[in-house]
Amino acid sequence: MSILDAATTTQLKGLLVNLRRPIELVASLGDDAKSADTRALVEEIAALSDKVSARLDGTDARRPSFAIRADAGPARVVFAGLPLGHEFTSLILALLHVGGHPPKEDADLLDQARALDGPLHFETFFSLTCQNCPDVVQALNILSAFNPNVSHVAIDGALFQDEVERRKIMAVPTVFLNGEPFGQGRMDLAQIVAKLDTGSIARAAEKIAAKDPFDVLVVGGGPAGAAAAIYAARKGIRTGVVAERFGGQVLDTMGIENFISVSHTEGPKLAAHLEQHVKDYDVDVMNLQKAVALKPANGDGLATIELENGASVRAKTVILSTGARWRQMGVPGEDEYRNKGVAYCPHCDGPLYKGKRVAVIGGGNSGVEAAIDLAGIVAHVTLIEYDGVLRADAVLQDKLRSLPNVTILVSALSTEVLGDGHKVTGLVYRDRTTGDDHTIHLEGIFVQIGLVPNTEWLKGSIALSNRGEIEIDARGETSLHGVFAAGDVTTVPYKQIVIAMGEGSKAALSAFDYLIRH
């Protein structure tokens, strides 16, 4: 039985030549089929390099699992389950990093990671369909490979359902540190280290505050912000980017099939390409920085962006591209049970609801696609749409209606999320035709009702539409001279990646033209 196909085997063999020291795979196995697959996987990997050996006498209580260790040292990197799907890259990188191959991370960040005190034992619960999980798994594996005070086990939640239930895990990735909750959702190495090294925020603020003014300062690191930064930098002007997380909402997008000239890609992959393209130019990227206020230019002609860490950045022109986020239902119980049954990413969290009853809120393309995907995993899906008809494409509606374990409710208003204090137990909705209230008993609710612009921090300083979007003209200029905006945060219709990139490019050209004329 072979787990890896011929092409993957050839690719992996070529990568393992980068190992700088021997590594050992120690498998802890049971009598089940997944254990047999795990055994096959570790033996296949070991056969590809004389620097890799395999043992099958592991004593880990989680079975199947396998540790990756160097020079017979302690096992600081462990996979509980088969790291295939989105996590196969995590496995490859773990092999290389434990084997001494340096990660593609900033040298100062790695030094900061090595200096952390311990012991720090991390556990990450992931699912193989989660596009957010690999960043967390890979970051914690790097930390474990390069700091002897750190260890990490990545656990496939779908495979260890009993543990998931016992520890009340309702969303992935979920990270525990020394047995206590540490974080949920996407985190990269810089975010994790910053959370552990409390002094890093003050040091970053001091460093940012000392920067000279920029010609163009881009606020936001999604497709619009990346395009704006590249176009500005290509003009040879001093360009900076302030981003809360580089990649923006694209990081939460699973499949992308309408990005012209690329028939298929995935959000995290596109975000990585965007970041690398920006770094190819002389752009000062200030990542993990949240903007909290915009101060218009005064007598010195410089606008100011104030950051959450207390620092301020000044610039002759500003391009706002802070994007949008998932819209919430805004009903009682939603906040209380977020990540305890209320979820926003069906690809990430769907496997945790295997055999359970769930609801999807929203009858647009996103909602119907989510319901279709979930129907293949869960026991039953109830799709709830406020309007009298579904708004998704006809082909998606036809597919949804063909599924035997789906109920469609239209003219239905969700009014309350019910729970037992620990997790979701139901949803109350109102029939908008009759006015009657109904309760659905279920374990999960996936909210897919569109986007809301990230502009709360701009209220009172710039003209916004009644939807909270930044109002712009045909050149991307806002109500403030020298301040431009682009992408999903603006009044431009059709929130699409390709449109955001075009708008970001246009805003940068407009900013350059403004600099020339002023």
Side-chain angles (χ1 to χ4, degrees):
M1 177 180 61
S2 178
I3 300 299
L4 306 178
D5 59 36
T8 302
T9 299
T10 301
Q11 180 187 26
L12 182 54
K13 185 174 183 179
L15 290 170
L16 291 178
V17 301
N18 294 299
L19 293 175
R20 299 185 178 184
R21 61 191 178 205
I23 60 174
E24 185 176 53
L25 309 181
V26 183
S28 301
L29 306 173
D31 298 326
D32 57 292
K34 288 293 184 182
S35 289
D37 289 344
T38 302
R39 173 175 181 162
L41 177 63
V42 299
E43 289 179 338
E44 286 177 44
I45 294 172
L48 298 179
S49 171
D50 57 6
K51 282 190 168 67
V52 183
S53 60
R55 287 173 43 191
L56 307 176
D57 59 351
T59 58
D60 197 313
R62 295 189 184 98
R63 296 171 183 260
S65 64
F66 64 95
I68 307 172
R69 65 186 196 183
D71 302 321
R76 300 203 302 270
V77 176
V78 178
F79 286 97
L82 272 175
L84 301 176
H86 285 294
E87 292 299 342
F88 187 64
T89 299
S90 301
L91 169 59
I92 294 174
L93 292 174
L95 295 169
L96 296 175
H97 296 154
V98 174
H101 185 67
K104 293 181 180 179
E105 296 285 354
D106 180 77
D108 290 341
L109 176 60
L110 288 176
D111 288 342
Q112 191 180 354
R114 289 189 186 97
L116 293 171
D117 292 329
L120 303 173
H121 176 60
F122 290 94
E123 299 166 288
T124 301
F125 286 83
F126 68 88
S127 73
L128 295 178
T129 56
C130 170
Q131 72 268 27
N132 293 323
C133 296
D135 278 4
V136 179
V137 172
Q138 291 164 25
L140 289 172
N141 283 346
I142 289 173
L143 198 57
S144 302
F146 286 83
N147 186 326
N149 300 313
V150 182
S151 59
H152 176 229
V153 54
I155 306 161
D156 183 354
L159 196 58
F160 294 91
Q161 285 278 347
D162 290 346
E163 188 171 1
V164 165
E165 294 284 349
R166 185 175 71 255
R167 300 178 76 166
K168 298 181 173 61
I169 296 162
M170 305 293 289
V172 291
T174 291
V175 181
F176 291 85
L177 170 57
N178 296 336
E180 298 297 325
F182 176 77
Q184 287 183 317
R186 178 186 295 274
M187 293 180 284
D188 60 20
L189 182 61
Q191 290 171 296
I192 292 169
V193 170
K195 192 170 182 177
L196 295 167
D197 181 3
T198 54
S200 64
I201 296 175
R203 293 195 300 272
E206 183 179 359
K207 186 176 180 181
I208 290 172
K211 294 180 184 291
D212 292 331
F214 292 93
D215 292 318
V216 175
L217 178 64
V218 180
V219 185
I230 291 167
Y231 264 71
R234 285 174 62 85
K235 293 295 185 181
I237 56 181
R238 179 168 161 74
T239 304
V241 175
V242 170
E244 190 171 357
R245 60 169 188 163
F246 207 98
Q249 197 192 17
V250 166
L251 291 166
D252 302 324
T253 304
M254 184 65 173
I256 299 171
E257 297 178 344
N258 57 355
F259 186 60
I260 310 306
S261 84
V262 179
S263 59
H264 177 82
T265 187
E266 294 176 350
K269 185 183 296 184
L270 177 59
H273 290 163
L274 288 175
E275 186 170 12
Q276 184 55 55
H277 198 174
V278 170
K279 289 181 177 179
D280 288 343
Y281 294 91
D282 186 16
V283 176
D284 188 340
V285 178
M286 293 159 275
N287 202 11
L288 308 183
Q289 302 301 328
K290 183 178 181 179
V292 294
L294 164 65
K295 297 295 179 64
N298 49 31
D300 61 5
L302 297 173
T304 301
I305 296 293
E306 296 180 355
L307 305 179
E308 190 175 54
N309 65 12
S312 294
V313 191
R314 298 186 301 159
K316 297 175 183 177
T317 61
V318 173
I319 298 174
L320 303 171
S321 56
T322 47
R325 63 188 183 275
W326 292 117
R327 185 180 299 277
Q328 297 177 237
M329 293 184 290
V331 301
E334 181 177 18
D335 286 339
E336 181 183 355
Y337 291 103
R338 186 191 315 277
N339 296 323
K340 298 177 182 178
V342 176
Y344 301 85
C345 180
H347 296 293
C348 303
D349 301 330
L352 298 178
Y353 294 84
K354 183 178 181 180
K356 297 180 179 180
R357 300 176 66 85
V358 304
V360 172
I361 312 300
N365 281 350
S366 295
V368 172
E369 287 174 354
I372 292 170
D373 290 343
L374 289 166
I377 302 171
V378 304
H380 187 271
V381 179
T382 300
L383 181 82
I384 298 178
E385 165 58 33
Y386 177 84
D387 204 351
V389 295
L390 300 184
R391 293 166 286 107
D393 295 342
V395 64
L396 294 175
Q397 293 191 42
D398 291 342
K399 174 63 176 176
L400 183 69
R401 290 190 169 94
S402 73
L403 301 174
N405 61 334
V406 173
T407 299
I408 300 172
L409 300 176
V410 296
S411 296
L413 172 64
S414 302
T415 58
E416 185 179 2
V417 174
L418 304 177
D420 61 5
H422 301 288
K423 62 182 185 298
V424 165
T425 60
L427 175 72
V428 179
Y429 75 91
R430 178 166 298 151
D431 186 322
R432 296 178 57 239
T433 303
T434 65
D436 295 335
D437 288 336
H438 302 272
T439 298
I440 308 173
H441 297 288
L442 41 73
E443 290 85 9
I445 301 168
F446 290 83
V447 183
Q448 303 280 286
I449 53 175
L451 304 172
V452 57
N454 296 315
T455 56
E456 288 84 358
W457 65 287
L458 293 169
K459 289 180 179 177
S461 64
I462 203 167
L464 303 176
S465 71
N466 57 7
R467 289 186 168 186
E469 299 167 324
I470 301 172
E471 294 182 346
I472 59 172
D473 63 15
R475 297 168 57 84
E477 192 163 14
T478 71
S479 59
L480 295 177
H481 290 300
V483 178
F484 302 83
D488 288 2
V489 75
T490 72
T491 50
V492 167
Y494 311 120
K495 313 303 186 185
Q496 298 291 310
I497 293 170
V498 68
I499 292 174
M501 286 183 174
E503 291 292 310
S505 305
K506 181 172 68 177
L509 294 173
S510 297
F512 180 68
D513 183 69
Y514 179 92
L515 289 170
I516 293 174
R517 296 175 184 276
H518 293 81

